Amino acid sequence: MSLDYTLLFKALRPETALVVGALAVLGLDLTALRKLSNAKRLQVAAGLGALALFAAVWLACSGPHGPAFGGVLIFDRFAIATRVGVLSLTLLALGTASVNRSGRHPAEYVAVMLFAAAGFTLMAAAQQLLVGFLALELASLSLYILTGFDKARPESAEAGLKYFLFGGMAAAFLLFGFSLIYGLTGSIELPEIAGRLSTQPPGALLMVALVMVLVAFGFKAAAAPFHLWAPDVYEGAPTASASLIASASKLAGFTLFTRILWTGFYPVAGSVSAMPVSAGWIPAVAAIAGLSMLVGNFGALAQQNVRRLLAYSAIAHSGTLLLGVIATGDYGVGPLFYYAATYGIAAGGAFGVIAVVEATGTCQKITDLAGLHRRSPLLAGCLAIFILSLAGIPPLAGFFGKFSVFASALRLGGLAGPVGWLVVLAIALSALALYYYLIVLKQALVEAPAPAAGRIIVPPFAATTLAAAAVLIVLLGIRPSLILSLF
Amino acid sequence: MNALPCTIYISFTGALLSLAVGRRSPGLARAVALASALTAWGIALFAAFKFVPDAAGPVSLVDYPWIPQMGIRYHLAADGISLTLVVLTGLAATAGVLFSWNVEQRTGEFFAFFLALIGGVYGVFLSADAFLFFVFYEIAIVPKYFLIAIWGSTNREYGAMKLVLYSFAGSALVLAGILWAYAAGGAHSFAVADMAQAAVGFSHGQQVWMFALVFLGFAVLAGMFPFHTWAPTGHVAAPTAASMLLAGVVMKLGAYGCLRVAMPLFPVGFLFWQPMIFWLAVIGIIYAGLIALVQEDFKFVIGYSSVSHMGFVLLGLAAANVRAVSGAVLQMFSHGVIAGLLFAVVGRMVYDRTHTRKLADLRAMSLYKRLPFAATVFVLAGLASMGMPGFSGFPAELTILIGTWQTAPWAAVLAAVGVLVAAAFTLRVIQVSFFGHADTAKAAVDVAPLPPITLAEKCGALLLLGATILIGLKPDLLLELIRPALQTPYFQAVLKGGAL
Amino acid sequence: MSSSLPLLSLIVFVPWVGALVLLFAPKLGAWSVRVLALAFSLSTLALAGIALCRFDPSAAGYQFAEGHDWITSLNVHFRLGLDGLSLVLLLLTGILGPLSMLASWRQENNPRLLNLLFLLLQGAALGVFLALDFVPWFLFWELSLVPAYFLIRLWGGPGATRAAYQFVIYTIGGSAFMLLGFAALFLATGTLDFTVLSGLASSGALATKLAALGGIWPNAVFFGILLGLAVKVPLFPFHTWLPSAYAEAPTGASMFLTGVMSKMGVYGFLRILWPLFPAALHRFAPGLLWLAVGGVVFGAFAAMKQTDLKRMVAYSSVNHVSYCLLGLFAVCSLSRPSPDAATAALTGTILQMFNHGISAGALFFCVGVLEARAGGRRGIGDFGGVRTWAPLFAGLCGISMFSSIGLPGLNGFVGEFLIFRGVWGLVPWAAAVSCLGLFATAYFLLTFWQRVFHGPKAGASESRFADLTGIETATLAPLVGLMFVFGILPQLLTVLINPLVTSWVAHLALP
């Protein structure tokens, strides 16, 4: 095990930048900005935060490639792409946060957001169980804080508490699972674990360990039946936090767990490409995927609250992403990353629009979006792009994400096995999903605004990030090879 | 010829421009829309005029790699069938813009959605890659929702949602089928010709079920019985120009998909399902006609008549010989024009003025005296719809009947019954809507003069009438484009016997 | 032989050009409209006169033939041609067209549209009689329905809506099956040209090719085409649309409908069904013969029961036109008919087509005059002793009735006599039963004559009954004149058709 600290430092420069940035934000606010209004403090903090994020992106792109620190971290294409992705999504969430002028403790908010980002980037590169767990916890704890941040609303506190309890439980499961793995294989490095597992026959204990890991994965991904926290958290948390949870956290979580499952546990993967199904973690993932799609889509149908609708939509998308995880083994990680990244942009963007609308009133019920086309054409247009991308309408990125995941999943075995049937289920449910997405768009683009609702002026930073996100969705939808060619 | 892809680009550019200028000036938005529609149509006409058929297959217009990781290319190509339908689209688009000249509310957005829909439709007719085909097909779905939900009339939110969900469900089925075929064929390429090649090796079971998925998906959009229920509701709810496009062109997307994708890719599967398709087509023709006969809402009659006419198209496709399929494509063109005319009269000329579509109310208005131009146009359109010689429906129906005799004489006989039913409901609706007599016992109905027919409406109507009469008297203009396309190797597996 | 002048195309299209002129011409007074329309309508007679001069009855085949490529992908040509049969019908149309317009001279309600429709109708009828390829023939056949529909609908009586609807739907229904039949013919032979198809039929090739369809389908083709033609004639029992349609139509339209349009059906039998399907017609002729006889008898007896004069004449039309089909079916029902009897029957059929047009047209006009004088009433009991008020009218109407009864010396006699002579020599029982029709016709027409014109003054004619005006005389007198002319000199017509009939009889043997 070669412990090259220089390389490690070089590789972790983005994290360093983020932490330094967070500390700078905190420090500056504590000392120089005490007397200013909340809005001004927010502006400065957001500006500094954005700077830190840009720096981190640049550093991540120019960092070293390959394993670092003896295989504890790995900076392959997947990792670097995810790092850049989560940092951009955090930028998007920051733009969303910058709209909320009345929030208290703005600098702390931005700082915790940067910490969460640091956790995400570390999750992307982890190739060792403990580092992975550490990164996950760093991110999760930051997210719990961000969720419960709004002291003015009891829903926020409730959401934070729920998230914390669920997350804590999931973390416990994960740690226990990891310890079992260590016990069975004697290593915490993923490649070595795989090597050991390929020689051992799978036993009951291994299955237990896998199940536990999958429980944590399911929680992180908001997949059924571990999804129960998602609707309340998405509804109660401050909008920017929800944005971060929906976008960056999902991307980082999928990257980490895909790496754990495929790099570490591929010998006991099993298969669902044909009947009969061979045992392993893939059948379990397939079952979770199917359940998530059903719960997510049918749950969303009944929603009146736009945030809860987005939560259930997140659950449904997790189902499809899990299909992408299954296909990763044979067809690479391209479709999965593409889908997760573009889903993040769309979801984050949608929350961004909600945040702007909320700044001038309230935005909880779907009907609060009524008449958006008249109140702010920019917001209406951006929302249309984000929602249609979520629905999977070409030429937007969401469509191609679904398409490529379905294509690679079908290549596993056609319609002969459960994976094929899951694809058919996913396609069918996406037709169903269009209904509730159109309900949202109907309010925004068709209905007349409520009498009390006036024009919305979108702050420049938010406008830029939302427009950039929309453009990115269209661009990536038209030229997916921009991302696919990375893999 | 190589300017054909510009029809797509001009439409989308026009959509964006119209959106941009619409806020400031509705008149400018209209002008942009008309210019865009006319230019695209002009390109299409010119290309059709200059077209030289290639015996090997469609002529490639644009072909470069798009997503090499999945074997997807941006590949546009045109043959006689595509050209026929592209010309139809241009005509319907221009007429639609003319008939929407009076839209005052959110004009820019209206034309933006309208032109986006047109652009998607052009794209479908010109695609030679299954992925690209599907992308354009789906692009055309969302604008429909907004066109109906914002500017529609009766029950518009329900009608819009039903129409869009059915369309999307249909396209979901197509996606499943195409992806399955792509995966099973080795996942090399999405080019339609390549997929057909790969499908030769599929097992009988695979062909049967892949065909079922893809054909059913397209047939839903084509209004095949019993998946047609979205059509009358949706068309009634839609504003005039949207109904013209929906019934006139968008339903043809489904039939075109069946012809271009479903049938040649899975000929073995097609043979398996052929009897059932015959039955469903014939039932659609007669059943929809009978329903049209008892409708009390003017627009519903036209909506159901569209389903009945599309039944003829499906019948021609089911018969699967060169004669019948060329008749089906001709019928696609003919019905596109005629449906546009019918909806234009019902929606724009009558409803916008009388604010009622109930036949009982119209009966009392003696509209032939108050709107003579509309009455004449409607009578001519009705004659065309009945399949009267001299209009485009007649050569189409004759050709389909000849082709159907060859494969399934019983279906031809039932189709003739369908012609009779069509005559019955068309004549009834003409009679009641325009030529009713005011009941002498009742108090005098309001005989205030109705707003005169505008120049834009007259131009639109004459354009469509001219098209149907021109093709009625000289169907060779189109048949000479269509037949060579059907005799290329691509269609030979599914079409039996080239001589006819 | 085709001259440099496309005579037949002119004949067909000049009335349509007239219709276009009426459509687009600027403000014209009612009188100018009528005169203009009449001029265009008379063009047919003029051009037919030219054709008559240049016509050579003894030449076989079609004269003044014109042919242009039309729809190459369906091997369809725009072909027109004239032989003796078409010439006779051409003359009939040329006569009845202008007279129908004259009969509507007093119509104040939108005369421009009225005359436009008459011109369209005339052109379409001419097209049917001259076209020699199915697509143009069918085009004219179907298009003739449109002006007829509107004429009935817009200027007709109280029940016009339903009558017009029924008329059109029945006819289109029949035509749909005719179209179906021809689609099959095209499939089997690759052509829709009547001349080519009859050539194939006479050599037996057509039947063989159709047999390739297998099963019941060759017969289905025959029945489809039969149905389309039978509804138009009309052949009993497909006649149910006729009484209402003729009764509700305005006078001029009724004249043209009964005079010309019903002949389109009979013409179809002679030009299409018989040459193309001689064997099938022979096989089913006994049944068809019953139907023709049924039409003769039923038409006459139903007319007897009517109190509405117009309906009476309408049913009488069913009776008279069924005589034509009686003659044809009698010839077809024997595999070796005697040449004399066949010649008589066929000549009688063609003559009857012409003569019935003249006499029925006159009768409808007379009823129209009665109706106009009585303010819309036309029951047989609504009039009495008209003779005393209007002797000229009574005289001309009487002559028309006697022509319809078949009095020797008037034109109605010749056709009926020849048909009966022919049918008696071919299928005696049919002739015997049809005599019932003759008796019934005489009965109701004489009753009409007696009750309306003789006897005490009653009903509408109690107080005043104006005699014929100038226009009315101009309408009725030519018809009556023609009744005398063709009654005394039938050879004026027979000279045109004798060679044709002779050649038909010579080729009667089935292949």
Side-chain angles (χ1 to χ4, degrees):
Chain A
M1 191 159 98
S2 63
L3 300 179
D4 187 350
Y5 283 92
T6 336
L7 190 63
L8 180 65
F9 178 65
K10 274 209 193 123
L12 291 182
R13 281 180 304 181
E15 283 80 356
T16 318
L18 290 170
V19 170
V20 165
L23 292 174
V25 164
L26 282 173
L28 194 62
D29 186 78
L30 206 55
T31 51
L33 304 177
R34 279 271 131 194
K35 298 289 168 34
L36 297 176
S37 67
N38 272 345
K40 281 256 171 40
R41 288 161 70 185
L42 179 60
Q43 272 182 348
V44 175
L48 265 180
L51 213 61
L53 284 167
F54 278 122
V57 168
W58 185 75
L59 289 168
C61 291
S62 55
H65 295 253
F69 209 60
V72 168
L73 299 168
I74 176 129
F75 295 94
D76 58 2
R77 294 209 163 146
F78 191 21
I80 298 182
T82 307
R83 284 155 79 84
V84 173
V86 300
L87 289 168
S88 317
L89 291 170
T90 312
L91 194 59
L92 182 58
L94 194 61
T96 309
S98 69
V99 175
N100 185 10
R101 300 298 183 78
S102 54
R104 293 159 61 184
H105 313 298
E108 282 81 348
Y109 192 84
V110 172
V112 175
M113 201 180 262
L114 292 174
F115 286 137
F120 295 143
T121 50
L122 208 52
M123 277 164 77
Q127 208 185 184
Q128 191 215 61
L129 295 182
L130 276 181
V131 171
F133 182 76
L134 264 176
L136 182 62
E137 281 307 289
L138 171 57
S140 302
L141 285 169
S142 313
L143 287 177
Y144 306 151
I145 298 174
L146 288 173
T147 307
F149 210 83
D150 188 7
K151 293 192 234 177
R153 288 171 42 230
E155 294 89 11
S156 180
E158 178 189 342
L161 189 63
K162 258 195 190 145
Y163 197 13
F164 174 60
L165 288 174
F166 261 91
M169 179 84 87
F173 267 83
L174 188 63
L175 204 52
F176 193 34
F178 282 169
S179 61
L180 281 176
I181 296 286
Y182 177 67
L184 287 169
T185 59
S187 165
I188 55 171
E189 312 265 339
L190 289 175
E192 284 179 29
I193 294 174
R196 304 275 166 80
L197 283 179
S198 53
T199 54
Q200 286 179 5
L205 214 50
L206 179 59
M207 288 300 143
V208 170
L210 284 177
V211 165
M212 294 192 150
V213 171
L214 284 178
V215 165
F217 189 8
F219 160 77
K220 195 66 189 166
F226 315 108
H227 66 282
L228 297 163
W229 58 273
D232 291 321
V233 168
Y234 278 53
E235 183 186 1
T239 318
S241 317
S243 166
L244 199 61
I245 297 171
S247 57
S249 165
K250 239 201 175 93
L251 177 60
F254 266 95
T255 306
L256 176 66
F257 280 100
T258 306
R259 202 188 292 290
I260 291 177
L261 287 173
W262 277 111
T263 316
F265 301 154
Y266 71 79
V268 287
S271 155
V272 284
S273 311
M275 297 294 281
V277 164
S278 56
W281 53 263
I282 285 187
V285 170
I288 295 178
L291 199 58
S292 304
M293 289 191 252
L294 287 168
V295 166
N297 281 302
F298 283 107
L301 280 180
Q303 296 308 317
Q304 306 286 351
N305 181 310
V306 64
R307 296 157 186 261
R308 289 182 83 90
L309 188 144
L310 284 173
Y312 279 101
S313 130
I315 298 170
H317 281 274
S318 294
T320 320
L321 279 167
L322 286 170
L323 274 182
V325 171
I326 296 177
T328 300
D330 288 335
Y331 298 112
V333 84
L336 176 65
F337 175 77
Y338 180 91
Y339 190 171
T342 51
Y343 167 76
I345 301 176
F351 275 109
V353 171
I354 293 177
V356 178
V357 174
E358 192 179 31
T360 62
T362 171
C363 189
Q364 287 288 339
K365 302 216 291 293
I366 303 180
T367 46
D368 292 333
L369 286 170
L372 196 59
H373 62 97
R374 190 148 304 169
R375 300 174 67 191
S376 168
L378 172 69
L379 284 181
C382 289
L383 184 67
I385 292 181
F386 297 137
I387 296 286
L388 289 176
S389 176
L390 289 176
I393 304 283
L396 302 173
F399 165 72
F400 190 76
K402 281 203 163 105
F403 186 87
S404 52
V405 165
F406 293 154
S408 32
L410 271 178
R411 286 171 72 184
L412 288 176
L415 286 187
V419 72
W421 311 337
L422 276 178
V423 171
V424 173
L425 179 66
I427 295 177
L429 288 174
S430 66
L432 180 68
L434 185 63
Y435 171 74
Y436 57 78
Y437 287 124
L438 277 181
I439 296 285
V440 175
L441 284 185
K442 182 176 78 146
Q443 291 295 328
L445 297 181
V446 176
E447 298 289 335
R455 288 202 64 98
I456 302 179
I457 316 287
V458 186
F461 186 30
T464 327
T465 42
L466 285 176
V471 166
L472 205 56
I473 294 230
V474 175
L475 189 66
L476 288 176
I478 296 179
R479 282 208 73 87
S481 32
L482 288 175
I483 291 191
L484 286 181
S485 56
L486 294 173
F487 297 99
Chain B
M1 192 59 186
N2 268 319
L4 264 181
C6 292
T7 53
I8 308 176
Y9 311 142
I10 289 177
S11 302
F12 284 120
T13 319
L16 285 172
L17 259 179
S18 174
L19 189 62
V21 304
R23 289 215 171 249
R24 237 166 294 124
S25 158
L28 202 54
R30 290 184 191 114
V32 165
L34 187 60
S36 173
L38 272 175
T39 320
W41 188 34
I43 295 176
L45 279 173
F46 186 71
F49 190 62
K50 288 251 169 218
F51 180 64
V52 172
D54 182 354
V59 173
S60 232
L61 302 166
V62 167
D63 183 6
Y64 50 81
W66 183 17
I67 310 174
Q69 294 83 5
M70 294 187 73
I72 297 176
R73 302 179 71 86
Y74 184 72
H75 188 187
L76 297 175
D79 65 1
I81 301 175
S82 336
L83 277 174
T84 308
L85 294 169
V86 162
V87 169
L88 170 67
T89 309
L91 176 59
T94 311
V97 170
L98 285 171
F99 280 109
S100 309
W101 213 252
N102 66 334
V103 170
E104 292 294 336
Q105 175 206 8
R106 293 168 77 175
T107 313
E109 289 163 68
F110 179 86
F111 286 115
F113 284 123
F114 187 85
L115 288 171
L117 178 57
I118 295 285
V121 170
Y122 276 127
V124 172
F125 290 139
L126 292 173
S127 299
D129 179 292
F131 177 80
L132 187 60
F133 187 105
F134 189 76
V135 165
F136 280 121
Y137 195 79
E138 292 236 313
I139 288 182
I141 291 184
V142 169
K144 289 192 282 198
Y145 177 79
F146 291 108
L147 279 172
I148 301 177
I150 303 179
W151 292 276
S153 52
T154 314
N155 228 356
R156 58 181 184 240
E157 281 168 18
Y158 171 74
M161 191 59 90
K162 193 169 182 181
L163 184 145
V164 168
L165 286 182
Y166 263 82
S167 308
F168 200 65
S171 69
L173 285 170
V174 169
L175 179 64
I178 291 185
L179 273 178
W180 186 12
Y182 167 76
H188 298 301
S189 160
F190 269 100
V192 191
D194 293 342
M195 287 185 80
Q197 197 92 18
V200 171
F202 290 168
S203 75
H204 180 81
Q206 279 178 321
Q207 281 244 351
V208 164
W209 290 106
M210 287 179 192
F211 178 82
L213 279 174
V214 180
F215 187 85
L216 187 59
F218 283 126
V220 166
L221 193 60
M224 181 173 86
F225 179 89
F227 308 105
H228 64 284
T229 49
W230 60 270
T233 326
H235 293 163
V236 169
T240 304
S243 312
M244 289 169 65
L245 270 189
L246 285 172
V249 178
V250 172
M251 280 176 104
K252 314 304 178 287
L253 283 182
Y256 179 76
C258 291
L259 177 59
R260 177 74 77 191
V261 178
M263 286 165 64
L265 248 57
F266 312 113
V268 174
F270 168 70
L271 275 177
F272 181 84
W273 293 103
Q274 191 182 22
M276 181 145 219
I277 302 175
F278 263 123
W279 273 111
L280 290 178
V282 165
I283 294 177
I285 297 175
I286 298 183
Y287 173 80
L290 290 174
I291 302 271
L293 198 52
V294 297
Q295 289 303 313
E296 280 307 318
D297 180 323
F298 202 177
K299 215 166 173 184
F300 265 106
V301 176
I302 314 298
Y304 278 106
S305 98
S306 288
V307 176
S308 186
H309 282 106
M310 285 305 292
F312 265 102
V313 173
L314 284 168
L315 182 66
L317 290 180
N321 51 60
V322 175
R323 177 78 59 191
V325 176
S326 62
V329 178
L330 188 60
Q331 171 77 340
M332 284 192 225
F333 182 92
S334 162
H335 175 253
V337 175
I338 294 172
L341 260 178
L342 291 171
F343 276 112
V345 171
V346 173
R348 178 74 183 88
M349 292 188 190
V350 173
Y351 181 70
D352 280 0
R353 290 175 172 80
T354 61
H355 301 296
T356 176
R357 285 198 311 261
K358 295 217 155 315
L359 288 177
D361 295 342
L362 292 174
R363 186 183 303 214
M365 286 192 195
S366 290
L367 282 175
Y368 74 102
K369 291 190 194 129
R370 299 159 75 184
L371 293 174
F373 182 81
T376 317
V377 172
F378 193 68
V379 166
L380 291 173
L383 291 176
S385 181
M386 281 194 238
M388 185 70 62
F391 299 94
S392 53
F394 174 70
E397 285 179 7
L398 177 59
T399 318
I400 293 177
L401 280 176
I402 295 174
T404 311
W405 261 115
Q406 189 178 7
T407 316
W410 61 268
V413 173
L414 289 176
V417 173
V419 171
L420 170 58
V421 175
F425 72 69
T426 311
L427 191 57
R428 170 188 173 255
V429 80
I430 292 178
Q431 206 166 266
V432 174
S433 61
F434 276 92
F435 295 94
H437 292 305
D439 204 296
T440 47
K442 286 197 215 133
V445 178
D446 171 29
V447 287
L450 296 170
I453 307 282
T454 64
L455 178 64
E457 288 171 282
K458 285 193 180 159
C459 289
L462 289 173
L463 208 56
L464 291 171
L465 268 177
T468 184
I469 294 178
L470 177 67
I471 299 300
L473 293 177
K474 269 217 85 58
D476 275 345
L477 289 175
L478 289 179
L479 283 174
E480 263 155 29
L481 285 175
I482 301 172
R483 285 177 61 90
L486 289 173
Q487 284 157 335
T488 57
Y490 179 69
F491 286 107
Q492 281 317 302
V494 76
L495 297 180
K496 295 181 278 284
L500 206 51
Chain C
M1 49 175 179
S2 52
S3 60
S4 53
L5 189 70
L7 189 61
L8 298 184
S9 294
L10 278 178
I11 292 180
V12 173
F13 287 114
V14 166
W16 279 11
V17 170
L20 273 177
V21 167
L22 278 184
L23 182 65
F24 289 117
K27 297 273 177 239
L28 286 174
W31 197 86
S32 339
V33 160
R34 292 181 185 121
V35 168
L36 194 59
L38 194 61
F40 275 104
S41 183
L42 282 169
S43 69
T44 305
L45 204 52
L47 291 167
I50 299 178
L52 188 59
C53 295
R54 300 212 205 138
F55 183 71
D56 176 6
S58 54
Y62 295 100
Q63 302 173 35
F64 308 106
E66 294 171 33
H68 309 280
D69 281 346
W70 188 8
I71 308 174
T72 43
S73 44
L74 284 173
N75 195 16
V76 167
H77 305 272
F78 184 76
R79 199 154 269 158
L80 299 175
L82 189 71
D83 70 355
L85 174 63
S86 350
L87 183 57
V88 166
L89 292 171
L90 203 60
L91 291 168
L92 178 67
T93 313
I95 295 169
L96 278 179
L99 290 178
S100 307
M101 283 189 191
L102 275 180
S104 317
W105 205 256
R106 290 253 168 266
Q107 182 59 257
E108 288 305 330
N109 178 13
N110 204 346
R112 180 193 287 241
L113 185 61
L114 179 74
N115 285 296
L116 192 153
L117 291 171
F118 267 118
L119 284 172
L120 282 176
L121 188 54
Q122 184 169 337
L126 293 165
V128 169
F129 294 138
L130 293 173
L132 288 179
D133 193 297
F134 173 70
V135 173
W137 184 86
F138 192 69
L139 186 143
F140 291 119
W141 173 273
E142 293 280 273
L143 281 182
S144 70
L145 288 176
V146 179
Y149 172 81
F150 283 107
L151 282 170
I152 300 177
R153 184 71 172 68
L154 297 177
W155 288 274
T161 310
R162 193 157 178 281
Y165 184 77
Q166 217 180 359
F167 161 55
V168 170
I169 295 304
Y170 267 66
T171 314
I172 289 191
S175 319
F177 290 102
M178 187 157 56
L179 180 66
L180 188 66
F182 270 96
L185 278 177
F186 181 83
L187 183 67
T189 62
T191 177
L192 288 171
D193 186 311
F194 293 155
T195 335
V196 175
L197 284 172
S198 14
L200 283 175
S202 57
S203 66
L206 184 63
T208 323
K209 288 187 194 229
L210 267 186
L213 286 176
I216 59 165
W217 301 116
N219 278 336
V221 171
F222 168 74
F223 277 111
I225 301 180
L226 173 67
L227 190 61
L229 296 170
V231 174
K232 191 79 160 185
V233 173
L235 177 65
F236 179 90
F238 304 107
H239 67 283
T240 42
W241 60 270
L242 186 145
S244 316
Y246 283 15
E248 298 294 339
T251 307
S254 304
M255 289 167 68
F256 198 87
L257 282 173
T258 190
V260 177
M261 283 193 78
S262 55
K263 310 306 177 299
M264 284 160 65
V266 184
Y267 172 81
F269 271 99
L270 288 170
R271 179 71 78 214
I272 302 174
L273 195 66
W274 190 27
L276 261 54
F277 298 100
L281 205 52
H282 170 68
R283 190 174 334 131
F284 295 109
L288 291 172
L289 204 53
W290 272 106
L291 293 182
V293 169
V296 167
V297 172
F298 170 80
F301 277 89
M304 252 168 47
K305 292 246 177 336
Q306 299 299 320
T307 51
D308 178 340
L309 288 171
K310 209 162 174 183
R311 277 186 175 256
M312 185 190 284
V313 180
Y315 275 108
S316 153
S317 279
V318 176
N319 161 281
H320 279 88
V321 179
S322 298
Y323 286 127
C324 305
L325 289 180
L326 182 69
L328 175 64
F329 292 148
V331 170
C332 294
S333 60
L334 297 182
S335 48
R336 263 182 223 298
S338 109
D340 283 333
T343 312
L346 290 171
T347 313
T349 297
I350 302 180
L351 285 180
Q352 174 72 347
M353 282 163 72
F354 185 90
N355 292 325
H356 170 256
I358 304 285
S359 53
L363 274 180
F364 268 108
F365 182 71
C366 295
V367 174
V369 168
L370 285 171
E371 186 180 0
R373 299 281 190 276
R377 287 180 293 168
R378 51 176 196 243
I380 196 168
D382 286 327
F383 305 95
V386 173
R387 195 175 66 124
T388 47
W389 291 107
L392 176 61
F393 176 51
L396 293 177
C397 189
I399 297 173
S400 314
M401 280 186 217
F402 283 112
S403 160
S404 194
I405 293 175
L407 195 69
L410 294 173
N411 67 341
F413 170 72
V414 189
E416 286 181 16
F417 173 72
L418 282 173
I419 291 178
F420 271 93
R421 199 184 114 196
V423 175
W424 182 256
L426 297 166
V427 189
W429 67 262
V433 177
S434 302
C435 287
L436 288 174
L438 283 178
F439 301 141
T441 305
Y443 177 81
F444 70 74
L445 280 177
L446 287 173
T447 312
F448 181 172
W449 173 240
Q450 202 272 328
R451 294 274 293 279
V452 171
F453 289 99
H454 295 267
K457 303 197 206 42
S461 50
E462 189 142 19
S463 40
R464 277 192 53 76
F465 196 97
D467 206 343
L468 292 178
T469 66
I471 298 281
E472 288 168 344
T473 317
T475 316
L476 200 46
L479 287 171
V480 172
L482 287 173
M483 288 177 205
F484 278 111
V485 167
F486 291 114
I488 299 172
L489 296 171
Q491 51 267 42
L492 289 177
L493 284 177
T494 54
V495 72
L496 297 173
I497 57 175
N498 273 337
L500 181 66
V501 174
T502 315
S503 78
W504 282 353
V505 172
H507 293 104
L508 272 181
L510 293 171

